[in-house]
Each structure stands twice: as structure tokens, then as C-alpha cells.
Amino acid sequence: MNSILSDRILNMEESATLAMAKKARELKSQGIDIISLSLGEPDFKTPKHIQQAAKDAIDEGKYFAYPPVAGYQDLREAIAKKLREENNITQAKAENIVVSVGAKHSIANTFMCLLNEGDEVVIFSPYWVSYAEIIKLCGGVPVLIEGNLENNFKATAAQLEAAITPKTKAVIYSSPCNPTGSVFSQTELEAIAEVVKKHPNMVVIADEIYELINFTGKNFSIASIPGMFERTVTVNGFSKGYAMTGWRVGYICAPLEIAKAVEKMQGQFTSGNTGIAQRAALAGIAGDQTPSKEMAEQYLKRRDLVLGLLRDIPGIKTHVPEGAFYFFPDVTAFFGKSAHGHTVSNADDLCIYLLAVANVSLVTGGAFGAPNCVRISYAASEADLIEALKRIKKALGDLA
Ligand SMILES: Cc1ncc(COP(=O)(O)O)c(C=O)c1O
């Protein structure tokens, strides 16, 4: 019998990171001591003053009705102010901001508004799992340009230029990048902007969700380059930098035409984001930034810890991530080897092997467009990281 479900959903891939997390949870529930390094989720709690703002908002009783579709005006103003002052996006005003149910929703809204059937979107690869699926859902065609270990997984402006066709509508990247932790420098973004400026119908989607976890000390927004505000949708949110994944608040800053379209789209799908979550987000963006800075310091400490442990594992090849909370090592040295009844032919097999033998869950690089790599999240305690890397080293050492 044919499925009752639409081709749209039948053709969609399941999120590989969520699938791995589910598998790890199932094993954990059987009493197996699994260390999960597969999810892109801070292990910190939302800072206290943000929690308090949500409690106060409930007590005030003013935020229980449908909120404005694009977000409360004071939150949109606070976001625009931050973008002007910290990101040098001088044209950002409240009217350019649309608050959504997480950055994932912001990205989905944006592609829904930009893409016609057959429009191409260039994706800097390795890339965050959801980009390609959202683009396809909106009728678009993902076109990958690939970075590699040698250039810190950063595809170049020249590669972008070579990938552009008359059908190209947009280009998307994340910086700091999920899954590689790489950060585009100002010079690299200026080169990308030069290419985009040659194509008047092309838009940049700059995913800056890991902005606050950037170890280079220099965050640069492509929308701050003269002439680029009109061509850029800056995506950001509260999940990573403020440890607020469950609150589901993200936003775009876009030229008015796109911002208005996204508001219209959101008005039909979800209406505005939860009022209480927006009040918490306002406390995050306008309040004390110390907790976010302290979390970033902890991530840097862990990055250095894991770097040392990975360098001690023969066969693992890694670059040094400059942001986010991931390593993305090349694991090809283990392909074609066997142990404990498993044969490892690719990164998918290696993840299954490590889950079964080391009881550590990672995500295959195949999910991010890089089948020679695996993604290790270090958003976990130092004790768990040390134990996990010890187990990984032992299991990989068994492969022959
Ligand atoms: C690169 C990137 N963009 C966007 C998102 C979505 O974040 P949110 O929780 O705000 O939907 C994620 C979350 O994993 C991400 O890694």
C-alpha cells in the first residue's frame, strides 16, 4: 500500500544527531554506562537571572496572551541595539528583527520566503545537518562546496564563485561552525562578500548561533561590511551562548522586505514565540553577560583538554577548533580494520563500533557532508570527557 504520508516528509532525512542521541538514550535505559558526546547542547544551566526573569514574567501576569508575531518590541529593540553595538551592523533596527521558535525556525522561515522550486543554495560544507533538509523541503537544491582538514574545513570564496549559477539564490554558512568549530576571519568574509556583491539576486544567510563561543576573541559579522546589510540574513539565538536550548528563542536580522515576509510566514505557521521565553531572552541579551563569558571560558578549557587527549590517539587527525564546542577529526586511518566482531568500513561503522565497544556516542561526519570524519561534542563535564576519550583510545587501539 502506498503511504498516506506526503512525498515531502517521506523524502526527508531524520536528524542524524537526534537519531544518535536516541540510540544512546535507549542503551542508557538498559543500564549501560553510555557517555553521550553526540548532542549539540550546552551542559550548563540557564543563568539564574534569566530564570528569574521568566518567573517574574509569570508573576506579572502580562505575558499570557498571543505575543506580537515578530516578537515583543522591547526584545526586538534590544537585539537591534546589540547588533549595532557589538556586531557593527549599524543599520539594524527593531523592524529588521523577527524573533522565532529557535534559530532552526528562523532558518526554515527564511528559506520558505526565499526559495522557488529549483533555486540553488550554496552550502559551505561540512555543514549543520538541518540546512540541506530545510532547503529541499522548500523546493531548493543544496549545492555543497567543501572545505578539508588542511584548510580547517573552510571552503573558499573562489569555490563559492565557481559554484554560482543563474539559479543560485543564496549561500549559507555557520561561523563558528557546527560541526567543525572553525571561524571565518574578517578577510575570509570580505572575500565571500566580494563574490556575493557580483550577483544582485543572491542573499547570504550568516548563521552566528555560536557567536558567544568564539575563542579567537574577534567576532565578525558579514552584514557589517558596507553594502552587505541589504544582502544578508543574520541568524542568531539564545540556545548556545546562554544555555537556553529548551526555551526555543532565535531571531533573524534582515532587510525589511525579507523581515516582513518572514513575519507573514510565521503569522500563518506558529504566531509569535512564547511570551515567557521572550522575557527570559530579553534578560539574557540586555542583562549581565558574565555567565556567558564564564561558560565560554569553560568550553575553551575543555577544548584544550580534549585536544591533548585526541593528539594522544594514534590515527586520529584533527585541526584546532576556534569556537563552538565540537572536534571534527578525520578517522580514515581506522577504515578497513576490525575488532570485537565489528568491521569498520566508514565513519558510520566507526560510530556504531564506538557506541557498542567504548559505550561513547559520537555522530558520523556523513551527516554533515564529511564521511571521513566524526563529530565529538565537548559540551560535557571534564570527568566525562577524560573517561570517554580513554575508552575511545582503547577501542580504537583494538582495531587491527
Ligand atoms: C549551526 C546551527 N544553527 C542553528 C541551530 C539551531 O539552534 P536553535 O536551538 O536556536 O534552534 C543549531 C543547533 O544545533 C546549530 O548548530
Side-chain angles (χ1 to χ4, degrees):
M1 200 184 97
N2 285 341
S3 172
I4 197 166
L5 300 176
S6 70
D7 293 345
R8 202 178 293 121
I9 189 67
L10 291 173
N11 291 334
M12 186 188 274
E13 303 269 344
E14 192 186 354
S15 160
T17 48
L18 296 183
M20 198 58 178
K22 191 167 150 194
K23 222 175 260 172
R25 259 199 312 270
E26 277 163 17
L27 291 174
K28 245 185 203 167
S29 71
Q30 293 165 23
I32 302 171
D33 170 25
I34 300 288
I35 302 178
S36 179
L37 305 183
S38 54
L39 259 190
E41 173 147 60
D43 58 319
F44 296 108
K45 290 239 172 356
T46 303
K48 282 269 181 245
H49 68 284
I50 299 178
Q51 296 182 29
Q52 191 58 47
K55 290 181 195 165
D56 292 346
I58 291 177
D59 290 342
E60 280 174 54
K62 286 200 300 196
Y63 302 101
F64 301 148
Y66 284 125
V69 171
Y72 287 119
Q73 186 64 16
D74 52 359
L75 175 58
R76 293 167 79 198
E77 272 164 16
I79 292 169
K81 179 168 183 280
K82 171 246 180 304
L83 292 173
R84 287 194 304 273
E85 291 175 2
E86 289 170 26
N87 302 70
N88 203 24
I89 305 178
T90 52
Q91 288 122 300
K93 296 199 197 86
E95 63 193 17
N96 302 108
I97 310 299
V98 182
V99 178
S100 297
V101 187
K104 191 181 263 188
H105 184 212
S106 302
I107 294 166
N109 276 337
T110 302
F111 282 126
M112 288 287 270
C113 292
L114 289 179
L115 298 182
N116 284 319
E117 206 63 36
D119 282 345
E120 293 175 2
V121 181
V122 181
I123 306 180
F124 278 79
S125 178
Y127 60 95
W128 182 49
V129 282
S130 294
Y131 294 156
E133 292 313 308
I134 294 173
I135 291 165
K136 284 191 270 174
L137 183 68
C138 298
V141 180
V143 176
L144 304 186
I145 51 172
E146 289 174 16
N148 52 45
L149 185 63
E150 287 65 44
N151 62 10
N152 288 332
F153 295 106
K154 291 192 270 187
T156 61
Q159 283 173 280
L160 170 62
E161 185 142 38
I164 292 173
T165 75
K167 290 192 159 178
T168 306
K169 194 69 177 281
V171 54
I172 185 165
Y173 62 80
S174 60
S175 177
C177 175
N178 176 7
T180 64
S182 296
V183 175
F184 278 126
S185 67
Q186 177 170 346
T187 314
E188 285 159 343
L189 289 174
E190 282 168 349
I192 290 168
E194 279 316 304
V195 173
V196 173
K197 282 184 194 170
K198 290 187 211 161
H199 300 274
N201 291 321
M202 216 179 129
V203 172
V204 178
I205 293 142
D207 183 346
E208 302 183 3
I209 185 96
Y210 290 94
E211 176 193 15
L212 298 183
I213 310 169
N214 180 340
F215 313 134
T216 69
K218 295 181 291 284
N219 193 70
F220 188 80
S221 293
I222 198 167
S224 69
I225 296 173
M228 286 306 289
F229 178 79
E230 299 75 11
R231 319 285 307 276
T232 304
V233 179
T234 303
V235 175
N236 208 329
F238 295 81
S239 288
K240 316 292 177 175
Y242 295 93
M244 289 178 70
T245 45
W247 300 76
R248 312 304 304 129
V249 194
Y251 61 85
I252 57 159
C253 173
L256 209 50
E257 185 184 10
I258 299 177
K260 288 262 171 237
V262 164
E263 180 178 357
K264 181 174 161 191
M265 179 67 63
Q266 184 158 295
Q268 294 292 12
F269 267 80
T270 56
S271 299
N273 190 16
T274 318
I276 304 303
Q278 288 192 53
R279 301 326 285 167
L282 178 61
I285 203 156
D288 183 9
Q289 301 300 305
T290 313
S292 293
K293 290 193 181 117
E294 284 170 357
M295 287 188 266
E297 278 163 22
Q298 287 303 314
Y299 289 127
L300 177 57
K301 256 179 82 187
R302 294 169 185 184
R303 196 253 343 234
D304 291 341
L305 170 74
V306 175
L307 182 63
L309 296 170
L310 281 175
R311 283 185 169 155
D312 196 35
I313 301 179
I316 288 272
K317 284 186 270 173
T318 184
H319 76 307
V320 182
E322 295 179 310
F325 37 63
Y326 309 105
F327 274 86
F328 202 61
D330 178 298
V331 290
T332 45
F334 305 101
F335 296 177
K337 296 188 172 178
S338 306
H340 305 285
H342 291 254
T343 297
V344 173
S345 304
N346 51 44
D348 294 20
D349 291 345
L350 191 72
C351 287
I352 291 165
Y353 172 76
L354 289 176
L355 185 60
V357 174
N359 294 151
V360 176
S361 72
L362 309 179
V363 186
T364 171
F368 308 96
N372 291 337
C373 299
V374 293
R375 190 188 76 172
I376 303 172
S377 165
Y378 56 89
S381 71
E382 286 188 17
D384 274 358
L385 290 169
I386 291 168
E387 174 64 19
L389 270 291
K390 190 173 104 188
R391 292 188 199 172
I392 291 173
K393 182 178 180 185
K394 165 83 177 68
L396 292 179
D398 291 347
L399 286 166

